[in-house]
Amino acid sequence: MSVLLIEPFYGGSHKQLMDLLQEELQEDCVLCTLPAKKWHWKARTSALYFMQTVPTSSNYRILFASSVLNLAELAALRPDLGKLKKVLYFHENQLSYPVQKCQERDFQYGYNQVLSCLVADVVVFNSAFNMESFLKSIGKFMKLIPDHRPKDLEKIIRPKCQVLYFPVRFPDVSRFMPEHKLARLEKVIGVKRSGDAYQSEGLPGQQESRAVMKASDAHPESGLCEPQPGLCTTQHEGLPSPPAAPVQAEAPESTNPCQGEDKQCLTFNLSNILSGLDYQQRPLHIAWPHRWEHDKDPETFFKVLMKLKEQDLPFQVSVLGETFSEIPDIFSEAREVLGSSVLHWGYLPSKDDYFRALCAADVVISTAKHEFFGVAITSPWWVVIIFPCTKAVPS
């Protein structure tokens, strides 16, 4: 148990990364987490919680935590943990994260992250954009302090920083894909048939994505984690699923703790969607696989779809992704206006159902105002970005 993993917001990409590290390190690690709810409170208070709950051990050598944790507070509250080699991982940073209109940026969240960087031995970012947007904002951010401002913090923190891209596996989804897409993959990007599966020769990013734990200089390379939705937080009512039809895939294995308890979890049946219609005759199928939050700019996405609906242009849409306690009003408005154009509405707890929905889509769209990495949009092999995005979003 030489590695202590701490995640105050154990959901989505945060959960994926911790699960990956735990899988690779196996018995050589201890994982301590809090649920992925009310991140504001987790950022403010999780250090105090972990002070009381992280077991004491003389075997710890490395502490690996996400930047949601106030590492400075934990190191002060638990001097035994402060002596470890501390690796801080930034999924996102609070200095450049977009805030909603008429809402001031809370100084404390960014300040906590700066303090954590000063205490950490290694600071890791999931993209160069994430790293540079954070480091270059420190000076301006500190000017919010009315007087006696600290100086040269960027110069102190930058030497500790490095970029290690979020590990993403491009899984074999051929069993979910219609024939015309399999043929296109084989022709365009060199995917070859191997029995009933298709294999890719060196998809971009797969080689370098096995580097997450190299920052510790102490453990073997990590593996890759599969992109999938985060924890099941809220289920949404959608259109009734069509009658079940035989599917050539195995029954999806539950990977979500909510799935066993909620019998209303929705599924997505590709066979029924494709039956009876040639793919060129079907309406364009659009997928939007993102968190239902303001920074993903659902307003722009739905305004475009409502305009298409107003002009009576045929299309179908699958709105996927997880939700939290607050959902932008545009979702309920769009659900009513789009009506029969909605093919699926809400979170898909099954990984297989999630991939099946993406494979059935013709276009996967991001309207995000920015992305630090963009795990959801790296899942499909076919991506269309319809609005200008940051360089952190794969094109």
Side-chain angles (χ1 to χ4, degrees):
M1 299 189 304
S2 64
V3 180
L4 173 62
L5 306 173
I6 298 180
E7 179 50 70
F9 195 78
Y10 187 58
S13 60
H14 292 237
K15 181 180 184 298
Q16 289 183 50
L17 180 57
M18 287 300 179
D19 288 351
L20 161 67
L21 296 178
Q22 187 180 37
E23 179 184 346
E24 291 295 319
L25 296 170
Q26 297 182 359
E27 296 181 359
D28 197 33
C29 73
V30 174
L31 175 62
C32 300
T33 68
L34 281 169
K37 297 179 180 179
K38 302 186 183 300
W39 76 265
H40 305 83
W41 284 104
K42 299 301 191 300
R44 289 188 178 107
T45 65
S46 61
L48 187 59
Y49 172 83
F50 288 122
M51 177 203 75
Q52 297 181 328
T53 58
V54 171
T56 303
S57 174
S58 59
N59 295 324
Y60 296 148
R61 297 292 180 268
I62 297 167
L63 190 163
F64 185 98
S66 79
S67 61
V68 178
L69 175 71
N70 188 325
L71 187 58
E73 287 183 351
L74 183 62
L77 294 168
R78 284 285 299 269
D80 59 319
L81 302 182
K83 296 176 182 178
L84 305 178
K85 182 169 185 178
K86 298 172 288 297
V87 181
L88 188 68
Y89 190 90
F90 275 74
H91 293 267
E92 60 279 314
N93 77 76
Q94 293 302 317
L95 300 192
S96 59
Y97 195 91
V99 295
Q100 298 185 55
K101 294 179 180 179
C102 304
Q103 176 184 350
E104 293 185 2
R105 186 182 302 277
D106 192 314
F107 182 84
Q108 193 63 43
Y109 302 129
Y111 183 70
N112 289 352
Q113 290 188 330
V114 171
L115 291 182
S116 294
C117 288
L118 292 170
V119 171
D121 299 294
V122 179
V123 183
V124 182
F125 294 83
N126 60 4
S127 69
F129 168 73
N130 194 1
M131 182 177 73
E132 291 300 328
S133 64
F134 177 78
L135 292 173
K136 292 179 179 179
S137 298
I138 292 176
K140 181 180 179 181
F141 180 74
M142 288 298 165
K143 289 181 180 179
L144 295 173
I145 301 174
D147 53 23
H148 299 88
R149 304 182 185 101
K151 299 179 180 179
D152 301 325
L153 295 183
E154 179 186 348
K155 292 181 180 179
I156 297 172
I157 295 173
R158 184 176 283 277
K160 304 179 181 183
C161 298
Q162 58 183 286
V163 175
L164 290 176
Y165 298 116
F166 190 92
V168 175
R169 173 184 295 158
F170 292 87
D172 176 18
V173 294
S174 57
R175 68 185 188 277
F176 303 134
M177 295 177 68
E179 186 62 34
H180 72 278
K181 287 188 178 179
L182 291 176
R184 177 171 175 80
L185 286 174
E186 189 172 48
K187 179 179 180 180
V188 175
I189 63 174
V191 175
K192 295 184 178 180
R193 184 183 291 271
S194 176
D196 293 330
Y198 276 72
Q199 296 179 345
S200 160
E201 298 180 353
L203 285 172
Q206 285 187 312
Q207 299 293 331
E208 59 267 30
S209 61
R210 301 184 63 88
V212 172
M213 284 305 288
K214 283 189 176 180
S216 69
D217 294 324
H219 292 278
E221 292 181 348
S222 69
L224 302 177
C225 70
E226 296 186 357
Q228 62 184 38
L231 290 177
C232 181
T233 55
T234 304
Q235 292 297 327
H236 299 276
E237 295 182 358
L239 294 179
S241 298
V247 180
Q248 295 295 322
E250 297 179 358
E253 180 180 354
S254 173
T255 58
N256 192 286
C258 303
Q259 195 170 358
E261 300 176 1
D262 190 346
K263 302 303 182 182
Q264 301 302 317
C265 286
L266 301 175
T267 58
F268 191 97
N269 195 308
L270 176 61
S271 298
N272 290 328
I273 295 168
L274 298 180
S275 61
L277 280 177
D278 182 86
Y279 78 92
Q280 292 180 335
Q281 298 174 328
R282 298 193 330 270
L284 183 71
H285 181 187
I286 302 167
W288 194 82
H290 309 285
R291 284 183 287 106
W292 293 23
E293 293 187 302
H294 74 95
D295 62 299
K296 301 303 181 183
D297 195 10
E299 288 81 6
T300 295
F301 175 69
F302 286 124
K303 284 178 181 177
V304 171
L305 293 193
M306 286 189 279
K307 191 68 174 179
L308 296 178
K309 187 76 173 179
E310 180 183 321
Q311 296 179 1
D312 219 16
L313 296 173
F315 68 90
Q316 295 175 320
V317 62
S318 292
V319 181
L320 313 173
E322 65 179 325
T323 66
F324 297 95
S325 56
E326 296 183 7
I327 300 175
D329 295 337
I330 188 66
F331 282 92
S332 58
E333 178 187 350
R335 180 67 181 86
E336 181 177 351
V337 172
L338 297 179
S340 60
S341 295
V342 175
L343 193 59
H344 180 82
W345 192 266
Y347 175 79
L348 286 170
S350 164
K351 181 173 59 179
D352 281 1
D353 285 340
Y354 180 66
F355 287 139
R356 187 176 287 113
L358 292 178
C359 289
D362 301 301
V363 180
V364 178
I365 288 179
S366 170
T367 49
K369 297 175 182 178
H370 87 304
E371 293 282 9
F372 288 119
F373 184 85
V375 175
I377 209 66
T378 61
S379 307
W381 290 350
W382 50 95
V383 179
V384 173
I385 307 297
I386 64 169
F387 278 83
C389 294
T390 68
K391 58 186 177 184
V393 178
S395 61

